[in-house]
Amino acid sequence: MRCSAYCNATRFDTSKLFEYLNRRYNAQRIREVIHMNLEERDVFFFPYAAIVCWGLEENQEKNLLSEIKEFEYMIAEPCHDIFTYSYGDTARVKDDEIVLPNKDILTKLAFSHSISQSVKLDTFEQTIQQTVDITRELPELLAVRGKINLSGKEIRRMMGRLFIDRHSINLHQELLDTPEFFWEYTDLEPIYNLMAHYLEIERRVNVLNQRLTVLKELFDMLNNEINHKHSSRLEWTIIWLIVIEV
């Protein structure tokens, strides 16, 4: 059977989303996660706009995504992941195939927490990669020419983009920690850890943090460049004032 994960936005308006899903599909809340049953199939909605669907057909998933679009905020680069799943004696995952030890909703939710974090992490990785691609040449220009041939306005716009990316990711960094759900359901934490290890969430978070550090250094470099341009402009202004006075 098919297990799919989507992240098409920054966050949900969870109160309105729950009200709508509860009225239409008799949804329920499991801590901060919204669960609904669609034709005997399970769907989980996470506050950070990640959705994990168990057993739905692709056309059903597309219809559902279109249906909840009005409850999304700040549309991001869409990210999508697909697995298959079946039932067996013990929980395991290999070659993108998940084996569930039972049909319990909480077991699926334990897997879903890791899957949703992974697809959310995909959006962060895409954002950082785009910023890295845009700013890749700046350190080389500074090394070769000793300065960045950009106007103050262009540099400030680039700094704004860097700041927005860093701020957005730092705000959501706690989402990549072990969810509070497992404080109450400690027996399900090994399932979460199993899936998180398979998806290499910890390693990817470390790489993401390293890239954020590099972007911070670039941010500081651009800030120094603006200060240098400003100081140079003041120096030339003073020189011309002295020339006029003389």
Side-chain angles (χ1 to χ4, degrees), residues 227-246:
N227 291 336
H228 173 71
K229 285 178 179 290
H230 182 66
S231 298
S232 179
R233 191 179 302 113
L234 285 177
E235 289 173 2
W236 278 106
T237 301
I238 293 171
I239 290 171
W240 281 111
L241 286 173
I242 291 173
V243 169
I244 292 170
E245 180 66 20
V246 170

Side-chain angles (χ1 to χ4, degrees), residues 15-28 34-36 67 70-71:
S15 58
K16 291 183 179 179
L17 176 62
F18 176 68
E19 182 182 341
Y20 172 81
L21 293 175
N22 188 41
R23 183 174 64 250
R24 186 172 173 84
Y25 300 104
N26 194 25
Q28 62 173 320
I34 299 172
H35 167 258
M36 60 171 263
E67 190 176 348
E70 62 181 290
F71 305 106

Side-chain angles (χ1 to χ4, degrees), residues 105-117:
I105 291 173
L106 296 181
T107 301
K108 289 181 179 177
L109 179 55
F111 274 106
S112 297
H113 269 292
S114 298
I115 296 170
S116 67
Q117 286 179 333

